[in-house]
Amino acid sequence: MTMRLLPSSLASRTVLLVIAVIAVTEVATFSLIGHFRRNSHLNQTVQLLAGQVHLLQIVLPGLDDEARHILSAADAGEQGLQVRPDGNSVPRHQPQFPFAHRLANELAERLGEPVLLRHGGSGQRSGLWIGFMAGSERWWLVLPPPRFEPQALPSDLWLGLAGMLAAVLLIAGLFVRGIVGPLARLEEAVAATGDGLARTATPEGPREVRRLAERHNTMLGQLASAAAERREMLAGLTHDLRAPLTRLRLRLALLESDADRAGLVRDVDDMERIVGQCLAFLRSEEFAMVKASIPIAAILYEEIARQRELGRPIELTVGGVAADCQVAISAGNLQRLLDNLIDNALQHGVPPVEVYLSTPADGAVTLRVRDHGPGIARADRGRALEPFAQLDPARATDGSCGLGLAIVRRIAAGCGGDVVLADAAGGGLEVSVSLPTC
C-alpha cells in the first residue's frame, strides 16, 4: 500500500527523498533553535529579575512613605518592569503556563529563597507578578506579557532559510539529473535493441550505470557476432544446396519418362523455392535498415507489370493522393516485400490477387494485398508472422518453409512500419503493410 503512494519514476522518488530529508532537517533545526532561544530567554529573564530583586531588597527598606508611593505609582522602566507593594491590587490566580513554573524554579534557586507567582489574566493586570521579601514587607515585580517568551525569528532568517532550501533543491536536482539522465538513455538503447535496432549506449553517469552500459554494449557485440555466424552458416548452406540442385535438374532432363521427370522436377522446384526463401529471409535481415525515399506508386506499377508478364493474375488500385507519396523504403526492399506478399497470396490463397495503395493517414501509406482463399484464423495470425511457422502441416510439402510473411514483417519493421493480418471483405486474407511517408 505504501509503495502505491510513492511516485513510479526514480527521479520523482529521489526528489521526494531529498525533500523529505530537507523537511525533517529543517523541522529538527527549528526545534533546536526554539529550544535554545527559550532557554537563553529564560536565563536572561532570571538574571534580570534576580538583579532587580537584590537591588530592591537593599533600597526599599530605607525609603520613606512618599518615596515608596512614588516608586509604586511609576510606569514601567526601560526593562518593562513595575514595582508594586503588597495589597488588594495583587491578582490571586496561579499561573498555568510552563514559562512561569520554570521561571519560579530558576529564580528561587538564584535568590536562595522561594518566590510567589501570580497571574493577572487578561486585561491591564495580565502580567506575571513575582513576590519577594524586602525587609519585613512583601513587594511585587510585574513582568509584562511580551517578556514571557522570546521574540519571533526575524524575517531575514526566514528568507535566508528559503534561499538555502532552494539552493539545496537545485543541487539535488542536478545530481538526480546526472543519475536519471544516463539511465533514461540506456533505457532507450535497450528498447531500441529489443525492437531490432541495435544501439550502443554511452557509458556515463555513476559507476554502476556506466558498468551496466558497458555490459549492454558487450552484449550487443556478442549478439552481432552470433547473428553474423548464423547468417554465414545459413547462407553457405543454402548456397551449397543450389549446386547439387542444378546438377540434379540437368540429370532430370536426360530421363526418358515424362511422368517420372515431371514429379522430380516439381520436387526440385520446391527445394529451390525453400532455398530461395531462406536466402530472402537472410537478405531481409541484412537490408532491412537500408532506407531511401522513393515514389511508391511508380515502383508498384513497375512491379505489378513484371508480375503480369509472368502470367500472374494481379489487380492494382492506387488512391489519388497516394500516387504522389514518397515512402522511406528502398526499391529493392519494396520489391522483396511485394514479391513475398504476392507469392504467399498465390501459394496459399485463391487468385486473383488484389493490391491496393490507400490514401496516407498519420504520416503513413497503407499497402494492402488480398486473396480469395480460406484466410487465416484470428488465433493463428500472430504465429503466421513468425519465421518458419507452418500453420498447416500440408504446406511443408508444397515448397514452403514459412518465411514469406516473416520477411514482409522484418522489412516493414526495419522501415518503421507495421504488418496487420485481417479478414478480407467477401472472404480471403488481407495483409496490410503501413509504410511511413517522407
Side-chain angles (χ1 to χ4, degrees):
M1 182 65 182
T2 304
M3 297 301 294
R4 294 180 181 177
L5 299 178
L6 295 176
S8 59
S9 68
L10 175 62
S12 300
R13 291 191 178 190
T14 306
V15 171
L16 183 61
L17 174 62
V18 172
I19 293 176
V21 170
I22 293 176
V24 171
T25 304
E26 292 293 336
V27 170
T29 301
F30 279 108
S31 299
L32 290 175
I33 290 176
H35 175 73
F36 286 114
R37 282 175 61 86
R38 285 190 295 271
N39 286 341
S40 176
H41 174 73
L42 177 64
N43 292 333
Q44 292 177 2
T45 304
V46 169
Q47 184 177 0
L48 172 65
L49 293 176
Q52 293 291 329
V53 168
H54 282 307
L55 179 62
L56 292 173
Q57 286 177 336
I58 297 173
V59 173
L60 288 176
L63 295 179
D64 55 17
D65 293 340
E66 183 179 358
R68 293 185 180 189
H69 177 73
I70 295 174
L71 179 62
S72 61
D75 295 331
E78 295 180 358
Q79 303 295 339
L81 301 176
Q82 293 179 311
V83 181
R84 294 289 183 267
D86 195 20
N88 295 331
S89 62
V90 179
R92 302 303 178 189
H93 300 288
Q94 296 286 341
Q96 300 297 326
F97 48 93
F99 175 79
H101 298 293
R102 295 184 60 192
L103 179 65
N105 295 333
E106 294 288 337
L107 190 57
E109 183 177 355
R110 182 70 63 88
L111 295 176
E113 61 183 59
V115 295
L116 299 178
L117 292 183
R118 298 290 184 269
H119 187 220
S122 59
Q124 296 180 353
R125 297 191 304 166
S126 61
L128 185 63
W129 293 59
I130 303 157
F132 63 94
M133 298 299 297
S136 60
E137 297 179 277
R138 183 175 298 281
W139 287 79
W140 298 86
L141 269 178
V142 182
L143 186 67
R147 298 192 64 98
F148 291 179
E149 292 293 339
Q151 295 180 354
L153 294 176
S155 58
D156 293 345
L157 178 60
W158 290 103
L159 292 176
L161 290 175
M164 183 176 64
L165 177 60
V168 171
L169 288 177
L170 177 60
I171 295 174
L174 293 177
F175 272 95
V176 170
R177 182 180 179 183
I179 297 174
V180 177
L183 277 177
R185 287 184 285 273
L186 178 59
E187 178 192 8
E188 293 174 358
V190 172
T193 302
D195 294 336
L197 308 175
R199 184 195 302 176
T200 59
T202 303
E204 55 181 341
R207 180 179 60 185
E208 291 78 5
V209 180
R210 292 199 305 271
R211 292 179 59 184
L212 187 59
E214 292 170 356
R215 295 289 179 88
H216 171 76
N217 295 339
T218 301
M219 180 191 68
L220 286 184
Q222 294 171 346
L223 290 177
S225 177
E229 292 178 0
R230 179 172 57 86
R231 287 195 301 269
E232 183 178 356
M233 180 186 66
L234 291 177
L237 178 63
T238 52
H239 181 270
D240 292 342
L241 283 175
R242 283 195 163 181
L245 286 175
T246 301
R247 293 195 300 269
L248 182 59
R249 189 179 292 278
L250 291 175
R251 292 176 182 176
L252 289 177
L254 300 178
L255 291 178
E256 297 180 356
S257 174
D258 292 339
D260 293 341
R261 184 188 306 110
L264 292 173
V265 167
R266 284 195 300 271
D267 291 340
V268 172
D269 289 340
D270 290 344
M271 294 173 67
E272 286 189 335
R273 187 178 300 110
I274 292 174
V275 172
Q277 284 185 340
C278 289
L279 287 175
F281 184 72
L282 293 174
R283 291 193 183 102
S284 69
E285 186 180 43
E286 182 178 356
F287 298 110
M289 297 302 297
V290 178
K291 298 181 182 179
S293 177
I294 62 171
I296 186 171
I299 302 297
L300 278 181
Y301 284 126
E302 295 177 2
E303 290 302 315
I304 296 302
R306 184 176 62 84
Q307 295 284 343
R308 288 173 178 171
E309 290 176 358
L310 299 176
R312 294 180 168 183
I314 301 174
E315 301 175 2
L316 174 63
T317 303
V318 178
V321 180
D324 300 325
C325 286
Q326 301 277 334
V327 293
I329 187 174
S330 66
N333 280 339
L334 180 60
Q335 178 183 345
R336 294 185 188 93
L337 185 146
L338 190 60
D339 284 345
N340 281 278
L341 286 175
I342 293 175
D343 288 344
N344 187 78
L346 290 175
Q347 188 173 5
H348 304 297
V350 176
V353 176
E354 300 174 2
V355 180
Y356 302 90
L357 187 63
S358 304
T359 303
D362 297 329
V365 295
T366 302
L367 176 64
R368 295 181 290 125
V369 178
R370 67 156 294 182
D371 58 57
H372 295 77
I376 298 178
R378 185 183 299 273
D380 294 331
R381 290 173 188 169
R383 190 160 60 93
L385 295 171
E386 298 295 331
F388 304 103
Q390 295 286 357
L391 303 182
D392 185 358
R395 292 186 177 185
T397 62
D398 63 357
S400 173
C401 60
L403 288 175
L405 292 178
I407 293 172
V408 171
R409 186 176 70 166
R410 175 170 288 179
I411 294 175
C415 299
D418 193 16
V419 179
V420 177
L421 306 183
D423 292 325
L429 177 68
E430 181 178 85
V431 183
S432 299
V433 181
S434 62
L435 297 173
T437 59
C438 55

